[in-house]
């Protein structure tokens, strides 16, 4: 009998040397399945939604991105390389952008709560920088 499904789509696809069936031992919605990258993305999206609920006119026109590391060579007009995040103003048909750098942020933190706080602070700081406002004006809990 020929099966048209690829082996990885079948519920049981291998019984190698009598060790039993091979399939995930935990569901994809359980915490163990999630990677550090996925958790970072989820925390970032949650903070963007939170800020968007309070300041929709500030958050809606901005594109957000997460990159692993910052570029190694800063542009000539930059005095320092930002390690955690960076904002790019809008121009020439390109919307304003905020980029968070995942690995420097994760290496600075020890637990999930600290990670959430740094993500929040960086997003608020970059939004304030884009719009020329005080970070405390956007989020009164900034820096605490």
């Amino acid at each position: 009998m020929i099966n048209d499904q690829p082996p990885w789509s079948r519920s049981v696809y291998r019984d190698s040397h009598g060790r039993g069936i091979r399939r995930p031992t935990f569901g994809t919605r359980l915490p163990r399945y999630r990677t550090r990258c996925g958790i970072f993305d989820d925390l970032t999206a949650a903070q963007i939604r939170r800020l968007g609920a309070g300041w929709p006119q500030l958050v809606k026109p901005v594109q957000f991105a997460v990159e692993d590391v910052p570029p190694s060579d800063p542009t000539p007009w930059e005095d320092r390389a930002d390690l955690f995040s960076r904002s790019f103003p809008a121009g020439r048909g390109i919307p304003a952008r905020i980029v968070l750098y995942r690995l420097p942020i994760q290496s600075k933190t020890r637990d999930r709560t600290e990670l959430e706080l740094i993500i929040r602070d960086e997003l608020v700081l970059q939004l304030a920088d884009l719009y020329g406002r005080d970070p405390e004006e956007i989020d009164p809990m900034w820096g605490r």
Side-chain angles (χ1 to χ4, degrees), residues 17 20 34 36 38 52 65 67 73-74 81 90 111 120 125 129 142:
H17 305 289
R34 300 181 56 201
R36 292 182 66 185
E67 291 185 8
D73 53 342
D111 59 357
R120 179 200 69 187
L125 182 66
D129 186 43
W142 180 78

Side-chain angles (χ1 to χ4, degrees), residues 55-93:
W55 293 92
Q57 72 276 13
L58 296 182
V59 175
K60 190 170 185 173
V62 177
Q63 287 182 347
F64 295 91
V66 173
E67 291 185 8
D68 287 337
V69 293
S72 60
D73 53 342
T75 55
W77 58 85
E78 292 177 327
D79 54 351
R80 65 178 178 87
D82 292 328
L83 291 178
F84 293 149
S85 63
R86 207 166 158 198
S87 62
F88 300 92
R92 297 184 184 172

Side-chain angles (χ1 to χ4, degrees), residues 23-35 38-39 42:
R23 69 172 101 176
T25 57
F26 49 87
T28 57
R29 307 213 22 99
L30 295 175
R32 181 173 178 186
Y33 185 75
R34 300 181 56 201
T35 62
I39 291 170
D42 289 345

Side-chain angles (χ1 to χ4, degrees), residues 90-110:
R92 297 184 184 172
I94 298 173
R97 291 170 289 157
I98 294 176
V99 179
L100 293 178
Y101 299 115
R102 182 179 61 82
L103 289 175
I105 292 174
Q106 283 181 335
S107 66
K108 175 88 171 166
T109 61
R110 284 173 274 162

Side-chain angles (χ1 to χ4, degrees), residues 8 12 14-15 20 32 38 51 85 101-102 106 109 112-113 124 130 132-133:
W8 54 86
V12 177
R14 195 166 129 194
D15 183 4
R32 181 173 178 186
L51 288 169
S85 63
Y101 299 115
R102 182 179 61 82
Q106 283 181 335
T109 61
R112 187 179 173 136
T113 305
V124 169
L130 276 177
R133 297 184 177 204

